[in-house]
Coordinates of all heavy atoms in Angstrom, one line a residue:
E994 N 112.5 107.6 121.5 CA 111.4 108.4 121.0 C 111.9 109.8 120.7 O 111.5 110.4 119.7 CB 110.2 108.5 121.9 CG 109.4 107.1 122.2 CD 108.7 106.5 121.1 OE1 108.4 107.4 120.2 OE2 108.5 105.4 121.0
E1056 N 102.9 99.9 122.4 CA 104.0 99.4 121.7 C 103.7 98.1 120.8 O 104.6 97.6 120.1 CB 105.2 99.1 122.5 CG 105.7 100.3 123.2 CD 106.3 101.5 122.4 OE1 106.3 101.2 121.2 OE2 107.0 102.4 122.9
H1082 N 108.1 103.0 112.9 CA 107.5 102.4 114.0 C 107.1 101.0 114.0 O 106.9 100.3 115.0 CB 106.2 103.2 114.5 CG 106.5 104.5 115.1 ND1 106.8 105.7 114.4 CD2 106.6 104.9 116.4 CE1 107.2 106.6 115.3 NE2 107.1 106.1 116.5
I1085 N 111.0 99.9 115.0 CA 111.5 100.3 116.4 C 110.7 99.8 117.5 O 111.2 99.5 118.6 CB 111.7 101.8 116.5 CG1 112.6 102.3 117.5 CG2 110.3 102.5 116.7 CD1 113.0 103.6 117.6
D1086 N 109.4 99.4 117.2 CA 108.6 98.9 118.3 C 108.5 97.4 118.3 O 107.7 96.8 119.1 CB 107.2 99.4 118.1 CG 107.0 100.9 118.3 OD1 108.0 101.5 119.0 OD2 105.9 101.6 118.0
H1092 N 110.8 98.3 121.3 CA 110.0 98.8 122.4 C 109.1 97.8 123.1 O 108.7 98.0 124.2 CB 109.3 100.1 122.0 CG 110.4 101.2 121.6 ND1 110.0 102.4 121.0 CD2 111.6 101.3 121.7 CE1 111.1 103.1 120.8 NE2 112.1 102.5 121.2
Ligands
FE2_2165 FE1 107.9 103.1 120.4

Side-chain angles (χ1 to χ4, degrees):
E994 297 288 341
E1056 300 291 8
H1082 282 85
I1085 200 170
D1086 293 343
H1092 293 175

